[in-house]
Amino acid sequence: MMKLAILFATVSCAAAFAPSSSRSSSKSMLFSTPTEEAVAATESTAATSNTPADIPQPAPAVKPINGWVPDESLVCYGLPGAVAPTGYFDPLGFARSGITLDEIKRNREAEVMHGRVSGLNRRRAAPDPFGITGPANDQLQQMPAIPFTMLASAIAAFEIRRAQIGWVEPDLGDWTRTLWKLRDNYYPGDIGFDPLGLKPKDAKDFANMQTRELQNGRLAMIGWAGMCAQELVNHRTIFGTIEFYQKVYAGVNPYEGCADGVIC
């Protein structure tokens, strides 16, 4: 009995200084094959079953979300999005060391959603059934009341549904505890809308597709900002600006026929 007790004490002391396998497994989750994951899970189960009951067990590993396991030792907790030639680019420190996981996920949520809106916001090139004219900066206030109300209601419905999917329900008794808090099992931007079935099931493929979406969304946001700035400067639509410079390069006066005080 004394020998058995000494053996248990020795095992527990050695286990205390042994490297933890949970961190290495979380880092390699995105790159392991299903066979490797199964072997790792079997080894973990066997090791746990052989551990005496009186020894405290480590906390279970975080369940992967679309193959991603948050790792605070990695930049941006290991979220995809960094590609050559810039690599990890964060001059303003939105993902610097010390930022919490919830803040990282919330910033990524904002980046993904704004990128999607910028990519979709090309209505200026389509015919307008309401007779709205001029630059996009001046179009919203030209909408009739009923279509404007329908648009605002649709946006509100989508945003409320997105909040229900990704955000923790507010605690009215202690509102600071749940304010801006995302669900632990929510992947930023994944609201379950995939009518074409484009979402990859493999973790590496999903990370690659997420990176492509982020890069296209970032480019769309920069392009949209440039177009808005151009319209504010010359008060012309994109196609109106192209037509304006075609006249300039053709030697035609672009202001010919414009009334006094009217930008045309």
Side-chain angles (χ1 to χ4, degrees), residues 43-54:
E43 293 176 351
S44 176
T45 304
T48 303
S49 61
N50 294 330
T51 306
D54 58 340

Side-chain angles (χ1 to χ4, degrees), residues 55-70:
I55 297 179
Q57 301 298 316
V62 178
K63 184 179 179 181
I65 312 173
N66 292 330
W68 168 66
V69 177

Side-chain angles (χ1 to χ4, degrees), residues 67-256:
W68 168 66
V69 177
D71 188 345
E72 62 180 343
S73 66
L74 299 178
V75 173
C76 207
Y77 282 84
L79 280 170
V83 293
T86 58
Y88 173 65
F89 182 74
D90 184 28
L92 299 181
F94 285 109
R96 64 183 181 274
S97 178
I99 301 296
T100 65
L101 174 60
D102 191 68
E103 290 174 315
I104 290 292
K105 291 174 64 177
R106 197 166 65 245
N107 289 339
R108 173 55 57 86
E109 171 82 7
E111 180 181 22
V112 171
M113 300 310 294
H114 280 83
R116 290 172 180 172
V117 170
S118 298
L120 291 172
N121 206 350
R122 291 295 178 270
R123 65 172 301 278
R124 69 184 67 202
D128 199 300
F130 305 114
I132 297 176
T133 60
N137 296 327
D138 300 332
Q139 290 180 358
L140 189 62
Q141 57 267 38
Q142 297 180 48
M143 288 188 67
I146 294 178
F148 178 81
T149 303
M150 294 174 62
L151 175 64
S153 299
I155 294 175
F158 286 133
E159 288 300 304
I160 291 174
R161 181 55 183 159
R162 184 166 66 96
Q164 291 174 335
I165 294 173
W167 270 257
V168 175
E169 288 77 5
D171 184 356
L172 300 181
D174 185 10
W175 61 272
T176 58
R177 188 174 65 87
T178 56
L179 184 65
W180 312 121
K181 184 172 178 57
L182 293 174
R183 300 184 190 275
D184 293 335
N185 62 345
Y186 176 67
Y187 189 93
D190 187 5
I191 57 176
F193 181 76
D194 184 26
L196 299 180
L198 300 177
K199 179 181 176 181
K201 298 186 181 301
D202 180 73
K204 186 175 182 180
D205 292 340
F206 180 85
N208 290 335
M209 178 172 281
Q210 176 81 122
T211 300
R212 290 196 298 269
E213 182 185 17
L214 284 166
Q215 293 300 315
N216 283 279
R218 291 162 181 167
L219 181 62
M221 285 188 283
I222 294 174
W224 182 255
M227 288 186 289
C228 288
Q230 169 260 309
E231 289 185 348
L232 287 172
V233 170
N234 62 10
H235 207 71
R236 290 183 177 86
T237 64
I238 301 299
F239 294 110
T241 300
I242 295 175
E243 182 182 359
F244 176 87
Y245 284 106
Q246 284 178 338
K247 291 181 179 179
V248 171
Y249 295 135
V252 179
N253 182 8
Y255 298 105
E256 186 178 0

